[in-house]
Amino acid sequence: MPPALVDRLPRLAEFEGHSLDPEAAIRSVLAVRFKSYLTEENVQGRVRELEADARDWLGIQAKPLADYIAERFGDVASVIVEPEVNFVVGPRTTGLE
């Protein structure tokens, strides 16, 4: 089956009410739902745009540091900083109380 098709198929997430770590169980289910949300075309476009903006901003922020390193250390010919940004991490905590 093509990977693009597999990514679009519904996913089952098991939720065990007797889990020793209910927060982990909730986080697992939410991660599946979040991944599904991120496959929506309009969401993907907005995320890519934000990632590009963040990459550009970080590149601007890193320029003075790169210039300083190149100036301070004569044996370094040039310093190029190309930050990578990925907002598609998913839920980290659920704050279960």
Side-chain angles (χ1 to χ4, degrees):
M1 203 177 301
L5 179 59
V6 171
D7 289 342
R8 297 189 62 98
L9 291 174
R11 289 174 178 73
L12 295 176
E14 183 179 348
F15 182 78
E16 300 176 12
H18 59 279
S19 174
L20 293 177
D21 187 0
E23 200 168 324
I26 292 170
R27 196 170 40 252
S28 173
V29 171
L30 289 177
V32 169
R33 295 296 302 140
F34 185 70
K35 187 172 183 179
S36 173
Y37 171 72
L38 289 174
T39 62
E40 296 176 15
E41 188 60 39
N42 67 326
V43 174
Q44 286 180 358
R46 292 191 324 238
V47 169
R48 281 191 297 264
E49 185 178 316
L50 285 170
E51 288 173 341
D53 288 349
R55 252 190 319 273
D56 293 344
W57 182 82
L58 285 172
I60 291 167
Q61 299 301 309
K63 178 76 170 104
L65 177 59
D67 291 345
Y68 174 78
I69 292 170
E71 178 185 311
R72 180 90 164 99
F73 300 96
D75 58 332
V76 175
S78 70
V79 177
I80 299 172
V81 178
E82 294 178 351
E84 269 192 44
V85 176
N86 185 336
F87 290 155
V88 186
V89 175
R92 291 180 186 232
T93 182
T94 54
L96 183 62
E97 295 181 22

